[in-house]
Amino acid sequence: MTRELVVAALVAGCSFNPSSNGAIDAKRGITDGSKDSSVDASVGSNCLGDSLVVVCLGSAPTEPVMIGSDTAIDTDTGPQCSQDTTGATAGKFCVVAGTMIGVMQGSTLSATGHRPLVLFSTSTIKIDGTIDVSSHIDGKPQLIGAGGDAGDCGTPTAPDATGIGGGYGGSFGSPGGDGGSDSGFKAGGIANAAIVPTELRGGCPGFAGSDSAPGHGGGALALLASDSINVSMMGSVFASGGGGSGTGHANRGGGGGGAGGLIVLDASMVMGPGRVVANGGGGGEGAAGNDGNDGSDAPEDPMMAAAAGADGSPSGGDGGSGALGDGTGPNAAGSGHAGSGVGTTDGGGAGGGGVGVIKVFKSTTVPAMTSPPPS
């Protein structure tokens, strides 16, 4: 498949100052044009961002970035990533910078790798196609979105050491689902509480049962624009968690679904009828004789939960669905179910992943089809 990315050139000696229009200063309570050293130290010329992520370039971009066909970026080694970054976050992110950034209809920009992806525009970002930093079960092995499976995931409880209980779902914006016990009451895993992000990072993975793989946490993406971000009717931004696998061995627990990741939208105006989604992946099914089925990745529809692994092993426990919405009530991550067979040999289903986090800065409007709700 053809991959094309026109990446902005960075030319020394050019600069722009997003603080000159008061947008960044106003966020910090400075509205009269005055400056103080703390603001200037973190956000100055050639810088965009707020709170969770501030990115500074050594020089401003001079050309637009237009993504006109399917494009895959490795955020660790990809040539599309700018190396011209300065300050405290230098080298932490893959930054694609332009005087404007557009993702054209029918095109997908996807990213994998350890570093989060940042799109940096000195004017606007227009999304008519798809940006995807989700994790995907994609058979085995799984695919991890850029910056997914962040390291700080609290202290959840692993399932019973024999591996017969189901794994827990990953937590982030909401808790993941607990794993089901096996029919002999060997306990499933217990998910961690929700996590409040303090930096640009991805969601947490689920936990594996024996002979099953966990779903990976969704990736991390920041869209930083001096003026506006527009997600059109055909546009989509995804950072959802991957499904956990069903176990391929009799009498073992399923793998927990991954939590959704983090999407940051930072511009004076964020708008559009398009989709912005960071939901949880479904938990895998436990096994008792037959193999358990995999949980599903989070769908593109923000109002549809990722399906749990089920119906593969008649007396193995079903997994739990992935979380969507605010991660509470009927849309919470489902707990894995206990094995339904007789005796002590039926594997527990795994919990589904919790929702991710969507943060909007500066703008008082948000895209219409968003899950979880922006904060």
Side-chain angles (χ1 to χ4, degrees), residues 131-351:
I131 301 175
D132 189 3
V133 296
S134 297
S135 292
H136 299 279
I137 190 167
D138 197 27
K140 304 176 182 68
Q142 297 177 329
L143 184 67
I144 306 175
D149 285 2
D152 181 10
C153 289
T155 55
T157 302
D160 185 280
T162 61
I164 297 176
Y168 55 77
S171 300
F172 194 26
S174 70
D178 295 339
S181 62
D182 80 313
S183 57
F185 305 106
K186 292 184 173 63
I190 301 174
N192 196 60
I195 296 169
V196 178
T198 58
E199 61 181 352
L200 185 62
R201 50 156 289 175
C204 293
F207 193 87
S210 179
D211 197 36
S212 64
H216 292 286
L221 170 70
L223 305 184
L224 311 180
S226 182
D227 296 330
S228 65
I229 298 168
N230 188 347
V231 186
S232 76
M233 179 65 75
M234 301 303 295
S236 301
V237 180
F238 299 128
S240 294
S245 78
T247 182
H249 191 283
N251 312 326
R252 295 290 184 265
L262 172 61
I263 300 171
V264 173
L265 305 173
D266 190 319
S268 297
M269 181 175 290
V270 179
M271 55 188 172
R275 297 170 293 183
V276 180
V277 184
N279 289 334
E285 182 183 17
N290 299 330
D291 291 351
N293 283 330
D294 297 340
S296 298
D297 294 337
E300 296 180 352
D301 186 335
M303 301 308 296
M304 290 183 62
D311 301 326
S313 182
S315 55
D318 293 344
S321 60
L324 53 80
D326 64 2
T328 63
N331 294 334
S335 294
H337 300 292
S340 58
V342 177
T344 61
T345 59
D346 303 300

Side-chain angles (χ1 to χ4, degrees), residues 42-141:
S42 62
V43 179
S45 179
N46 299 348
C47 297
L48 287 173
D50 210 314
S51 184
L52 289 180
V53 53
V54 174
V55 171
C56 298
L57 301 182
S59 53
T62 60
E63 297 182 11
V65 174
M66 295 302 296
I67 298 162
S69 59
D70 288 351
T71 301
I73 294 178
D74 181 335
T75 62
D76 296 324
T77 61
Q80 304 94 338
C81 304
S82 170
Q83 300 304 310
D84 192 12
T85 56
T86 64
T89 60
K92 291 184 65 175
F93 312 127
C94 170
V95 180
V96 177
T99 55
M100 68 86 62
I101 296 176
V103 182
M104 298 175 67
Q105 185 174 336
S107 301
T108 297
L109 172 63
S110 60
T112 59
H114 292 92
R115 296 193 297 174
L117 177 66
V118 176
L119 301 189
F120 181 113
S121 170
T122 58
S123 61
T124 62
I125 297 175
K126 179 69 182 301
I127 303 166
D128 296 309
T130 299
I131 301 175
D132 189 3
V133 296
S134 297
S135 292
H136 299 279
I137 190 167
D138 197 27
K140 304 176 182 68

